Amino acid sequence: MLSKNQIKLITSLKQKKYRKQHQLFIAEGKKVIDELLQSNFELDSLFVTNENIFTSVSKSKINATTDVELKKISVLTTANDCLALFKIPNIEENELKGLVLALDNVRDPGNLGTIIRLCDWFGIETLLCSEATVDVYNPKVVQATMGSISRVNIIYTNLEKALQETNLPVFGTFMDGENIYQKALAKEGIIVMGNEANGISSEIEALVTQKIAIPRFGKLQQTESLNVATATAIILSEFKRN
């Protein structure tokens, strides 16, 4: 049985201010939880309908619960058979090197989660997020990463200041940029992806040293833009291919 205090705590973690207050975040589903258990993330507590799901976890951290109770605390439309609370780690900002991805005010949790998976897939070790970008510990983001959150260094920062201070070239994605398929791309640099509706802000655009674009091949040329996660996949693939 879950106590009222446990239910209150877990449901409160759906909001950023309470995640920050308690320094905890929610993860659901065996695959995601397994990935996080094998990483540097520290488990706080585990709630399961079957106590034999995670045999390597200390019994002191396991809380037996029912399907009905799990549904109450789940953030998913269809609850899994397990939910865990992990501690939010302290992230240190290191010198930027290699190929870095930066997000300027990306707001959709699904997009951020997918972009983190793309970073993991393409070997992008550092993801810079503007302070207005959706919180990485939002349960929907954590779920969408499918565990990749444990393998990418995600830093929230004043993006304008970070770009002003870097010696790396800064690539920005724009409709009027150079064709990415015809351009020689650097092995090092910061690639900036913009907001879903408004693209890269004018403050960040002023710091971009090289504008790039994914050309449209459709006959009518009427599609306004690509989804930011889809565009990120194409751009990272091209940088790595080059």
Side-chain angles (χ1 to χ4, degrees):
M1 287 282 292
L2 296 184
S3 68
K4 287 184 179 179
N5 284 340
Q6 285 175 315
I7 293 172
K8 184 179 178 181
L9 169 64
I10 296 165
T11 53
S12 76
L13 296 177
K14 296 173 186 178
Q15 296 182 54
K16 182 179 178 179
K17 65 178 180 180
Y18 293 114
R19 291 194 293 272
K20 190 174 180 180
Q21 178 184 323
H22 297 290
Q23 287 296 292
L24 294 171
F25 71 94
I26 297 169
E28 290 193 64
K30 189 171 189 306
K31 175 175 171 43
V32 176
I33 294 171
D34 265 337
E35 294 267 11
L36 295 178
L37 287 173
Q38 294 170 40
S39 72
N40 292 327
F41 282 101
E42 185 181 346
L43 177 68
D44 177 82
S45 47
L46 184 59
F47 302 86
V48 294
T49 56
N50 179 350
E51 293 186 54
N52 295 319
I53 297 177
F54 299 96
T55 54
S56 62
V57 175
S58 168
K59 292 206 178 281
S60 64
K61 295 196 173 186
I62 295 178
N63 299 269
T65 183
T66 65
D67 290 329
V68 173
E69 287 177 328
L70 203 60
K71 192 172 182 179
K72 282 183 184 177
I73 59 175
S74 175
V75 298
L76 303 175
T77 306
T78 304
N80 273 290
D81 52 4
C82 50
L83 179 150
L85 302 184
F86 285 89
K87 295 182 181 179
I88 294 175
N90 293 319
I91 303 296
E92 293 182 7
E93 292 191 35
N94 298 317
E95 181 187 356
L96 299 177
K97 57 185 179 179
L99 200 57
V100 175
L101 187 67
L103 303 182
D104 181 18
N105 197 17
V106 169
R107 305 307 297 269
D108 182 81
N111 281 336
L112 178 55
T114 301
I115 288 168
I116 292 168
R117 289 183 71 185
L118 288 167
C119 286
D120 188 16
W121 184 269
F122 286 105
I124 305 299
E125 295 179 1
T126 300
L127 175 63
L128 284 183
C129 296
S130 67
E131 290 158 341
T133 293
V134 61
D135 181 26
V136 66
Y137 298 112
N138 177 310
K140 291 180 181 178
V141 176
V142 175
Q143 202 65 26
T145 71
M146 294 301 290
S148 288
I149 189 176
S150 66
R151 292 182 291 273
V152 179
N153 188 29
I154 303 156
I155 300 169
Y156 282 78
T157 189
N158 180 323
L159 188 56
E160 188 176 355
K161 186 170 181 284
L163 296 182
Q164 286 170 342
E165 294 176 350
T166 186
N167 293 319
L168 294 172
V170 179
F171 298 88
T173 50
F174 297 89
M175 294 296 288
D176 61 348
E178 291 183 70
N179 185 332
I180 193 169
Y181 300 124
Q182 297 173 355
K183 182 175 175 59
L185 300 169
K187 290 183 178 179
E188 287 196 319
I190 299 175
I191 306 165
V192 182
M193 304 300 296
N195 173 266
E196 290 89 344
N198 304 312
I200 293 173
S201 63
S202 56
E203 294 84 3
I204 299 301
E205 181 179 356
L207 299 168
V208 169
T209 56
Q210 298 183 52
K211 292 185 175 183
I212 54 177
I214 301 168
R216 290 180 294 190
F217 292 98
K219 274 187 180 181
L220 299 179
Q221 301 281 298
Q222 290 179 349
T223 305
E224 287 187 5
S225 63
L226 286 172
N227 167 276
V228 65
T230 302
T232 300
I234 295 168
I235 286 167
L236 289 183
S237 179
E238 275 304 296
F239 267 88
K240 290 296 183 179
R241 187 178 70 85
N242 276 268

